[in-house]
Amino acid sequence: MEGLFAGLQTGLSGLEASQAALDVVGQNVANVSTPGYHRQRAELAAAPPMPDVSESAQVGTGVNVTGIQRAVDHFLTNQSLTQSSNVGYWQTTTNAMSQVQAAFQEPSSSGLQAAMDQFWQAWSNLSNQPQDAGVRQEVLAQAQSLIGTFQSVSSQLTAAQSNLDNQVVAQVASVNDLATQIASLNAQIENAQVVGETPNDLIDQRGVLLTKLAAITSIRVQPLESGGDMVYIGGVPLVSDRTTHALTTVPSAQNPTLHTVQFASVSGPVDISGGSMGAELTLRDQTIAGLLTQLNTLADQLATAVNNQHAVGYGTDGTTTGLPFFILPSSPQQAASQLQVNPTLIANPQDIAAAAHPNSPGGGNNALAISQINSTAIASLGGTLDSYYRGMIGTLGVDAQTAQNMNQQAQLMNTTVQNQIQSISGVSLNTQGVKLVMFQHAYDASATVIQTINSMLSTLVNRL
Amino acid sequence: MEIVNANMLTNNLIQNLSVDQARMSRFENEISSGQSINQPSDNPAGVQQELRLQKLLAQNQQYQTNAQNAAGFLQETGSALSTLIDILNKADQLAVEGANGTMNASDRQNLATQVGALFQQAVQTGNTRFGSTYVFGGTQDVLPPYILEPTGTIQDNSNGLALNREVGPGIVLAVNTQGSPLLNNPTPSATSPPGVFQVLQQLQNDLAQNNTAALASDLTAVQGALERVTVASTKSGSTLDEVNQQLTRLTNQSALLQQLDTQTAGADTAKVIADFENVANSYRQALAAGAQIIQPSLMQFLK
């Protein structure tokens, strides 16, 4: 039989365990809405009995708090990172695509389709009234307006491209910042675990940072025995336990005004697939770059076709021939932004080759032929200029619509995963309330035990 | 899945509200613009159709403009040709009168003066303009096609080139009537009869010189010219008919295209408003439910 003092120790362990459990309840209640917080619970276990050879019956020595556990499902945690990347990717894509669509302003009376229609109409009018100076001015004005529309679409696409590039550069800085914080948390978590602590709140903090990182780019997280995490981007470690390998941006080889993302210590671009940065790179290098290529091809083919036809016609003086209508830039891939009307024609509108024959100041058959380019298939475009442009806009529409649908789906999936996480790791105030009552009463009871032993001791000391 | 706290309900509420809001914004856009396609992603197939219709409408409008111009040109040509027919008819009468044996030299001189006036009128008619274009001059319109020189010869500035108008997809019509050799042919041959000017000049000369022997052949020449001008007038008239028919077709097509355009891109206002009301309703209900999300928990009852 143990002494009465041992009973006091048992009562004390009960008080301490209840207090620890109440502390955990308090922590849970305080973090009921904290993002990334995982519900904790105090793990209690009965303390082993004192070895006593004289008695066959053993009485324990109270209760021990063996640890404070996080309620976590690692599968859902990984799902959450994937969904975070998806949401980041599609949200960024949706926003950028609506900006790109706005650049084209279709369908409307101010888009490229309308500008092309008006340009061909001006030529058709010129074929009716080739000797009318006003109609010649109108051809020049519509050509300028067409060039202006090409330039406006092209410059808005280029601006969208460089906006995305700026965002990429800014996000590389965010990634490095997050990586540094994660590495530092890895160190703190490991240090705590070495001395037997359970750094739950640090792990939660790291989880929040990983989610933020995943929203920027797809990552793979590999937990280490030590409690640290390895974080990989495109198969290369960004965070390697306590150290980081920073990302950096270098001017792109294809287009020096844009930036390629790579690891400072590894040459060659890094494969950034998901997240908002993945979306920015895809939009910048594929979607918008592709649209710009198509736009330039369209402008180049249109101007070339008009020039070829214009060169075989004659001006009002009956002899001027062989002039190009447009001046094309040396590179066809700058046609949309740098196309110009031949300044000779602006200065001398009478040299616009409306006539198909020499000495035909009243002839408009060449102007008619130019207006018919509109309905002529161009081999390298696989159709007419119009059908090529319609195809461009159709594809853009499909891409933008897909992005909108995928964005909605990603948001929905993310909400589902977040709710699953809540159902496992969230704090229920009802449950915490019950625990509050339970541990409060346990505390009271342990105190009563101590009080009882105290009165037993006073009986023993004073009455004997 | 076990509902453990308000966070989950809040997540769902926010998700649903944002979906409803996006749909309301789309419907609102449709109602206010009157268009069901406001950007390509609204209906990628529809936007291609819409751009095609937009182009077809613009082309149709241009064909109508061209056809109206062609019709004007042909009407002007037609009235010039009927003036020439009148002139030749009068010349025919004068030739018949001149051939009458009761006439003397001074009577014929008088007739010659009248034919001379008709000749002047014919040259003027040959220089008829539509707008700034000489209808018989071909593609040359700097100088009048026919200038009467003091010597009595005609300076011919016309060329034989066509003035084309595109009045439909691929439908290109030459609207002008060639002035030469119909009006002016100074070097006639068996295969190439003299022009109206030469016929009148010849008649005038023969009348003035009282050359009665030649008047019979002059009369035949006048009648021959009359026939050729009438043929040209009929030909020009049938082109005008064709243009007018084309105009009617274009007007009908334009109405059809506009109808298609409305079907493709126009908003079905009644339906959109009904849809909008539906979403707005579910949005309001979601908000009302949202206000109740934070329910009292056990904590409120612990004293």
Side-chain angles (χ1 to χ4, degrees):
Chain A
M1 182 72 204
E2 297 154 19
L4 280 175
F5 290 119
L8 278 179
Q9 285 304 323
T10 305
L12 179 61
S13 78
L15 279 183
E16 281 173 352
S18 299
Q19 200 180 339
L22 279 171
D23 282 348
V24 171
V25 169
Q27 171 77 350
N28 283 340
V29 171
N31 287 295
V32 67
S33 305
T34 306
Y37 183 77
H38 289 73
R39 176 165 45 84
Q40 299 177 7
R41 74 175 176 273
E43 297 284 330
L44 302 181
M50 296 280 274
D52 189 343
V53 286
S54 65
E55 300 280 338
S56 57
Q58 290 187 340
V59 176
T61 55
V63 60
N64 279 339
V65 179
T66 58
I68 297 174
Q69 292 298 320
R70 287 161 82 229
V72 63
D73 179 327
H74 291 289
F75 173 74
L76 286 176
T77 308
N78 281 333
Q79 276 292 302
S80 163
L81 292 180
T82 309
Q83 290 312 322
S84 183
S85 293
N86 268 344
V87 169
Y89 185 91
W90 290 112
Q91 204 159 34
T92 305
T93 306
T94 305
N95 292 344
M97 285 308 267
S98 72
Q99 206 186 334
V100 171
Q101 291 196 86
F104 281 94
Q105 290 188 33
E106 294 291 2
S108 81
S109 52
S110 49
L112 202 47
Q113 179 71 53
M116 289 196 289
D117 288 341
Q118 281 161 9
F119 178 66
W120 304 123
Q121 279 181 314
W123 281 105
S124 192
N125 280 330
L126 181 63
S127 81
N128 294 339
Q129 292 158 283
Q131 65 288 78
D132 189 321
V135 178
R136 281 176 186 265
Q137 283 301 340
E138 180 66 10
V139 168
L140 293 173
Q142 292 300 348
Q144 299 284 17
S145 144
L146 176 63
I147 288 173
T149 312
F150 267 120
Q151 277 171 354
S152 149
V153 175
S154 160
S155 73
Q156 285 183 65
L157 290 180
T158 313
Q161 221 178 8
S162 83
N163 272 346
L164 289 166
D165 188 60
N166 291 342
Q167 286 175 32
V168 167
V169 173
Q171 286 197 322
V172 164
S174 307
V175 167
N176 288 337
D177 188 33
L178 287 168
T180 312
Q181 293 184 51
I182 291 168
S184 141
L185 279 169
N186 276 345
Q188 292 180 49
I189 289 166
E190 286 167 359
N191 292 344
Q193 287 195 347
V194 164
V195 296
E197 289 171 10
T198 43
N200 291 329
D201 300 302
L202 296 177
I203 296 173
D204 282 348
Q205 274 180 39
R206 186 175 63 188
V208 171
L209 295 177
L210 286 170
T211 308
K212 281 188 184 164
L213 185 59
I216 300 178
T217 168
S218 283
I219 53 171
R220 192 167 65 81
V221 178
Q222 186 194 5
L224 297 171
E225 286 289 323
S226 61
D229 274 345
M230 296 284 285
V231 181
Y232 297 91
I233 295 181
V236 181
L238 172 76
V239 178
S240 176
D241 200 3
R242 298 181 184 213
T243 55
T244 60
H245 305 277
L247 290 180
T248 182
T249 51
V250 293
S252 152
Q254 292 88 2
N255 184 347
T257 57
L258 303 178
H259 294 84
T260 307
V261 179
Q262 62 181 54
F263 277 100
S265 52
V266 183
S267 67
V270 57
D271 176 24
I272 290 169
S273 51
S276 52
M277 190 152 75
E280 282 149 13
L281 291 169
T282 307
L283 286 159
R284 187 193 75 182
D285 299 338
Q286 288 168 32
T287 317
I288 297 181
L291 284 168
L292 272 170
T293 305
Q294 285 183 304
L295 189 72
N296 281 317
T297 306
L298 182 70
D300 178 61
Q301 290 295 321
L302 184 148
T304 307
V306 170
N307 279 356
N308 289 345
Q309 188 63 48
H310 189 265
V312 302
Y314 293 85
T316 359
D317 63 1
T319 50
T320 304
T321 185
L323 289 176
F325 184 79
F326 289 111
I327 302 292
L328 279 157
S330 54
S331 157
Q333 278 307 314
Q334 289 173 334
S337 57
Q338 292 182 12
L339 202 59
Q340 281 180 343
V341 174
N342 189 347
T344 311
L345 295 175
I346 296 175
N348 308 296
Q350 70 274 13
D351 287 346
I352 294 175
H357 299 92
N359 302 316
S360 299
N365 290 355
N366 200 49
L368 181 61
I370 291 176
S371 81
Q372 285 174 327
I373 290 172
N374 183 21
S375 340
T376 314
I378 293 175
S380 63
L381 297 183
T384 62
L385 292 160
D386 280 316
S387 66
Y388 184 76
Y389 180 63
R390 279 203 300 276
M392 261 175 84
I393 296 296
T395 311
L396 169 63
V398 170
D399 287 351
Q401 196 183 43
T402 308
Q404 286 169 5
N405 292 341
M406 292 303 284
N407 184 32
Q408 248 179 40
Q409 216 172 318
Q411 304 272 8
L412 199 68
M413 283 297 295
N414 191 39
T415 304
T416 307
V417 170
Q418 292 311 323
N419 280 348
Q420 280 173 342
I421 290 178
Q422 281 291 327
S423 111
I424 304 240
S425 311
V427 175
S428 158
L429 289 179
N430 288 340
T431 313
Q432 299 303 317
V434 169
K435 286 191 173 176
L436 200 61
V437 174
M438 203 170 80
F439 290 118
Q440 190 189 358
H441 283 295
Y443 187 90
D444 285 354
S446 293
T448 309
V449 168
I450 292 173
Q451 195 190 13
T452 308
I453 292 176
N454 180 34
S455 75
M456 286 163 73
L457 279 171
S458 74
T459 304
L460 200 62
V461 172
N462 297 332
R463 300 274 176 88
L464 286 179
Chain B
M1 188 162 52
E2 185 198 359
I3 302 289
V4 301
N5 62 19
N7 290 351
M8 302 166 71
L9 299 173
T10 317
N11 284 346
N12 288 339
L13 177 71
I14 291 170
Q15 166 75 24
N16 291 334
L17 287 181
S18 81
V19 169
D20 281 351
Q21 258 178 331
R23 293 183 62 202
M24 280 200 291
S25 142
R26 162 113 197 252
F27 289 138
E28 198 276 325
N29 205 354
E30 271 189 46
I31 296 170
S32 61
S33 70
Q35 299 285 315
S36 67
I37 304 177
N38 289 295
Q39 50 183 2
S41 60
D42 290 345
N43 181 353
V47 76
Q48 296 193 51
Q49 169 81 344
E50 168 62 12
L51 289 181
R52 206 173 68 87
L53 286 171
Q54 200 179 326
K55 172 199 138 171
L56 288 176
L57 269 168
Q59 272 185 338
N60 180 288
Q61 212 174 21
Q62 187 59 39
Y63 292 143
Q64 289 196 38
T65 308
N66 296 354
Q68 271 152 7
N69 178 286
F73 191 98
L74 287 161
Q75 274 158 9
E76 201 61 51
T77 309
S79 89
L81 288 170
S82 58
T83 306
L84 286 171
I85 291 172
D86 287 350
I87 289 171
L88 288 167
N89 273 326
K90 277 185 196 145
D92 178 80
Q93 282 169 21
L94 294 174
V96 171
E97 266 184 64
N100 192 329
T102 61
M103 287 221 142
N104 61 24
S106 86
D107 291 337
R108 292 206 173 90
Q109 187 60 51
N110 193 11
L111 291 178
T113 314
Q114 289 184 46
V115 173
L118 288 177
F119 169 69
Q120 296 281 353
Q121 202 189 337
V123 174
Q124 267 174 32
T125 310
N127 291 332
T128 300
R129 300 174 91 166
F130 173 69
S132 58
T133 311
Y134 294 101
V135 297
F136 296 116
T139 62
Q140 184 296 117
D141 67 351
V142 177
L143 295 169
Y146 304 110
I147 298 174
L148 181 58
E149 288 172 353
T151 58
T153 55
I154 301 268
Q155 180 194 327
D156 191 337
N157 296 314
S158 76
N159 65 25
L161 297 171
L163 293 175
N164 291 342
R165 298 286 180 268
E166 191 177 27
V167 295
I171 306 176
V172 178
L173 299 175
V175 293
N176 59 329
T177 302
Q178 301 298 345
S180 303
L182 182 67
L183 303 186
N184 185 42
N185 184 10
T187 54
S189 68
T191 52
S192 157
V196 173
F197 301 152
Q198 284 73 36
V199 167
L200 292 173
Q201 269 180 321
Q202 187 63 44
L203 177 62
Q204 185 191 359
N205 283 343
D206 290 338
L207 284 170
Q209 288 162 18
N210 203 18
N211 183 2
T212 49
L215 286 176
S217 71
D218 287 350
L219 183 61
T220 318
V222 168
Q223 283 166 349
L226 181 60
E227 196 184 308
R228 287 190 296 279
V229 172
T230 309
V231 167
S233 167
T234 311
K235 197 169 152 238
S236 170
S238 74
T239 311
L240 178 58
D241 286 346
E242 199 179 336
V243 168
N244 281 334
Q245 278 170 16
Q246 185 61 22
L247 257 177
T248 314
R249 272 199 293 275
L250 287 169
T251 319
N252 292 343
Q253 261 170 20
S254 162
L256 197 69
L257 287 171
Q258 256 149 10
Q259 197 185 335
L260 270 174
D261 187 35
T262 315
Q263 281 168 7
T264 310
D268 181 346
T269 317
K271 186 177 174 299
V272 177
I273 289 177
D275 288 346
F276 181 82
E277 283 297 324
N278 256 336
V279 180
N281 221 1
S282 91
Y283 182 73
R284 276 194 295 272
Q285 280 164 4
L287 280 179
Q292 305 287 323
I293 277 188
I294 309 297
Q295 291 287 348
S297 72
L298 179 60
M299 293 298 182
Q300 270 86 350
F301 300 98
L302 293 177
K303 289 280 168 351

